[in-house]
Amino acid sequence: MRYAQGGGLTDAERAARERIRLQAVERFEGGEKNGEIAAALRVSERSVERWRRAWRERGEAGVQSKGSPGRPRLGPGQLARLEKELERGPLAHGWADQQWTLARIKTLIGRLFHVSYTVEGTWQLLKRLGWSWQQPARRAIEHDDGAVEGVVGGDLATGKRIAAERNAWLVFEDEAGQSMTPPRARTWGRIGRSPVVRVRARGSGRLSMAGMTCFKPGERSRLIYAVREYRGRKNQPKGFGRRDFRELIVRARIQLGGPIVLVWDNLRLHLTVGMREFIAANADWLTVFQLPTYAPDLNPTEGIWSLVKRDIGNLAAADLGQITRAVKRRLERIQYRPDLVDGCLAGTGLILDG
């Protein structure tokens, strides 16, 4: 028997089953035995026995299908509560992982409302509610939604107000890295045979990236960045240091031509004494706000890194230099596409006034 997506029968299959039940009723009335009926209709004798018992008790109506198991049996209030509980996730309901399956949702409905749904009925119910099978986004367990809301409504709102009062740029800074192993990207392959992406097994090194997405009402959005290679040589810095961050901030001020309200995360180098002294010494044009821990979704520069790594997916680089050239080429293209930079801001849900 062929099943539709989600484990349910198609309408044609459901209609075929209904015809078999009606044929069984006709044979009951004709006095045929259960074994003869089962052989003629190609069903199990157990099913025929169950139908005959229902026919004796309630007549033909007892044998007929009760209709689609997905028929709604929960009221509007119960449906709203179900969606709220589903949004809490499986962890909140005692499952070890975070995957909602039809069987688990069926169990949850039984726990909450003492109503029994089939797996097919659960699928039909979710479809009516606008739910679908999706690839989830990742978020750290340590992510504090309360802290994020506090920043959006508090510190970040204050930062936008200060930027407006000082006619300053709102600048988001972030760092990322890329090794010789490229990000995996989706590709076509034969069904049943996973595609293989061949990468260099030898070679070492890492590319560090620091970027700033810069926004100001009435101005074209900007991207300012710096990259640094680490090839494992003696006394070579592995990434950006305090001096590099200071130079990047100063370069941003020169290129933007005005004061800056800087928003960045709680990286240890951002919180050093030397960096605090630099911020205090340049308070006339530099104001800094910290994002909460584990909240990359508030930083539009994270979106820039996603665009870059999508472009170098499955790249079998011969050496670190090829990775560097590919990254720089993508960053340069983004610099000439302010709409992409604006899209990264929109992806955070943050809105600039003006």
Side-chain angles (χ1 to χ4, degrees):
M1 182 67 71
R2 181 176 60 84
Y3 285 89
Q5 183 181 6
L9 296 173
T10 65
D11 292 339
E13 290 164 343
R14 195 174 291 114
R17 286 195 168 190
E18 188 66 23
R19 287 195 298 270
I20 291 174
R21 290 170 182 266
L22 294 177
Q23 291 174 20
V25 170
E26 294 175 356
R27 292 174 182 271
F28 294 156
E29 295 172 345
E32 294 186 30
K33 295 181 179 180
N34 289 348
E36 296 172 348
I37 297 174
L41 300 181
R42 296 182 179 181
V43 296
S44 67
E45 286 194 40
R46 187 173 180 179
S47 295
V48 176
E49 290 173 1
R50 186 174 67 253
W51 295 342
R52 186 184 291 275
R53 186 165 53 251
W55 173 68
R56 286 172 178 169
E57 294 174 355
R58 299 187 297 278
E60 182 178 329
V63 183
Q64 290 179 345
S65 172
K66 303 300 185 297
S68 169
R71 200 173 279 173
R73 285 176 285 167
L74 299 179
Q78 292 174 313
L79 292 175
R81 183 186 174 194
L82 174 62
E83 289 200 85
K84 184 176 180 180
E85 295 299 327
L86 290 175
E87 288 171 353
R88 292 177 61 198
L91 281 177
H93 295 281
W95 281 283
D97 59 46
Q98 301 177 71
Q99 182 181 25
W100 275 127
T101 64
L102 292 174
R104 288 181 176 183
I105 297 173
K106 171 182 178 293
T107 300
L108 179 64
I109 292 173
R111 289 178 184 174
L112 294 176
F113 311 112
H114 306 288
V115 174
S116 178
Y117 269 74
T118 64
V119 171
E120 178 194 359
T122 304
W123 173 63
Q124 296 285 355
L125 176 63
L126 291 173
K127 192 166 69 169
R128 284 195 301 272
L129 292 175
W131 288 61
S132 64
W133 183 259
Q134 301 179 32
Q135 181 78 13
R138 289 182 178 177
R139 176 170 291 181
I141 292 177
E142 298 87 349
H143 181 91
D144 188 342
D145 289 331
V148 169
E149 292 178 2
V151 168
V152 173
D155 289 350
L156 197 51
T158 301
K160 292 193 294 183
R161 177 178 56 78
I162 293 175
E165 291 175 351
R166 298 185 178 182
N167 194 29
W169 287 79
L170 189 61
V171 177
F172 295 84
E173 192 276 342
D174 192 52
E175 308 84 35
Q178 180 57 52
S179 66
M180 285 288 293
T181 303
R184 286 187 295 177
R186 292 180 181 270
T187 183
W188 285 98
R190 186 180 298 279
I191 295 175
R193 186 185 302 171
S194 297
V196 176
V197 176
R198 302 191 181 277
V199 299
R200 298 282 177 179
R202 293 181 295 178
S204 62
R206 183 173 181 82
L207 181 69
S208 296
M209 302 172 280
M212 291 180 165
T213 47
C214 314
F215 307 93
K216 184 178 180 181
E219 297 283 350
R220 178 176 64 86
S221 300
R222 310 284 184 86
L223 169 64
I224 300 171
Y225 68 88
V227 298
R228 164 167 286 177
E229 293 181 344
Y230 171 68
R231 297 179 178 271
R233 295 168 182 163
K234 187 177 180 180
N235 298 325
Q236 184 182 16
K238 293 184 178 181
F240 292 98
R242 186 179 63 212
R243 179 177 298 178
D244 299 306
F245 286 124
R246 290 202 305 259
E247 291 177 355
L248 185 62
I249 294 171
V250 171
R251 179 153 65 90
R253 187 210 176 186
I254 295 172
Q255 292 186 21
L256 297 175
I260 292 173
V261 174
L262 177 64
V263 182
W264 58 10
D265 58 23
N266 291 283
L267 183 71
R268 183 177 59 84
L269 286 173
H270 296 169
L271 306 176
T272 60
V273 174
M275 185 60 66
R276 290 201 298 267
E277 291 175 350
F278 169 77
I279 294 170
N282 296 279
D284 56 325
W285 60 268
L286 178 62
T287 305
V288 177
F289 289 93
Q290 309 289 148
L291 287 171
T293 306
Y294 302 108
D297 47 315
L298 287 182
N299 196 330
T301 310
E302 286 280 350
I304 299 296
W305 306 141
S306 296
L307 292 173
V308 170
K309 296 197 175 188
R310 184 188 309 167
D311 203 49
I312 63 173
N314 300 344
L315 173 65
D319 53 30
L320 186 61
Q322 187 176 352
I323 294 283
T324 302
R325 289 190 296 273
V327 167
K328 284 185 174 181
R329 185 166 55 247
R330 182 56 170 153
L331 288 170
E332 288 171 0
R333 290 175 181 173
I334 295 174
Q335 283 184 319
Y336 289 97
R337 292 286 303 278
D339 57 310
L340 292 180
V341 182
D342 290 335
C344 293
L345 178 66
T348 66
L350 302 176
I351 300 175
L352 293 182
D353 301 325

